């Protein structure tokens, strides 16, 4: 059964400006996610960070929470060795998912200056 779906888009050039702030990094990206993003540079960094941010907002929508429903840094989008994205949830976000007895699916892409994420929460 589908608990919720969420989709979000982010302009990549806006992420470039946001990443200039160390406070933004700490507030938005968890430790493992920061390590992943720091392996990227230039446009690939901005694309990946924008896709991760879109995934976080899409997750919040799928969970039925608004921005601020969970701390953004608790919702980390990581990649498997083959590149497939997956969520690593911590804190209240992880507790909520466990209480739902659910799992989460995510897909991200970027093209034409836009990053997009689609999330499905399933019981």
């Amino acid at each position: 059964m589908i608990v919720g779906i969420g989709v979000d888009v982010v302009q990549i050039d806006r992420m470039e400006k946001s990443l200039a702030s160390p406070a933004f990094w700490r507030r938005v990206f968890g430790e493992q996610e920061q390590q992943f993003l720091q392996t990227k540079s230039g446009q690939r960094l901005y694309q990946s960070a924008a896709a991760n941010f879109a995934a976080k907002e899409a997750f919040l929508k799928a969970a039925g929470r608004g921005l601020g429903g969970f701390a953004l840094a608790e919702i980390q989008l990581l990649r498997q060795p083959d590149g497939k994205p997956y969520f690593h949830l911590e804190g209240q976000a992880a507790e909520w998912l466990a209480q739902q007895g659910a799992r989460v699916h995510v897909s991200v892409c970027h093209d034409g200056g836009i990053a997009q994420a689609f999330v499905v929460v399933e019981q």
Side-chain angles (χ1 to χ4, degrees):
M1 178 176 83
I2 294 176
V3 174
I5 59 171
V7 65
D8 196 67
V9 297
V10 173
Q11 290 181 316
I12 294 169
D13 63 348
R14 287 184 61 214
M15 187 57 55
E16 181 177 355
K17 294 173 187 171
S18 297
L19 291 178
S21 166
F24 179 82
W25 277 88
R26 287 188 304 274
R27 181 176 55 81
V28 173
F29 301 114
E31 186 176 321
Q32 290 176 312
E33 198 172 30
Q34 288 183 38
Q35 290 171 2
F36 163 74
L37 290 171
Q38 290 169 352
T39 67
K40 311 288 182 189
S41 62
Q43 193 64 21
R44 294 188 68 74
L45 168 62
Y46 309 137
Q47 291 168 341
S48 294
N52 280 33
F53 192 86
K56 293 167 184 283
E57 292 208 353
F59 174 81
L60 290 169
K61 292 173 183 177
R65 309 287 175 115
L67 192 59
F70 303 119
L72 292 177
E74 293 180 347
I75 307 165
Q76 297 185 71
L77 187 70
L78 304 175
R79 309 302 190 281
Q80 294 178 356
D82 65 1
K84 181 180 177 182
Y86 69 95
F87 281 112
H88 172 75
L89 304 178
E90 297 177 338
Q92 291 181 346
E95 290 173 17
W96 177 84
L97 193 66
Q99 288 171 353
Q100 300 301 310
R103 59 187 178 159
V104 61
H105 307 276
V106 59
S107 181
V108 295
C109 64
H110 47 78
D111 188 35
I114 300 290
Q116 179 178 7
F118 185 79
V119 172
V120 175
V121 177
E122 172 190 32
Q123 282 183 324

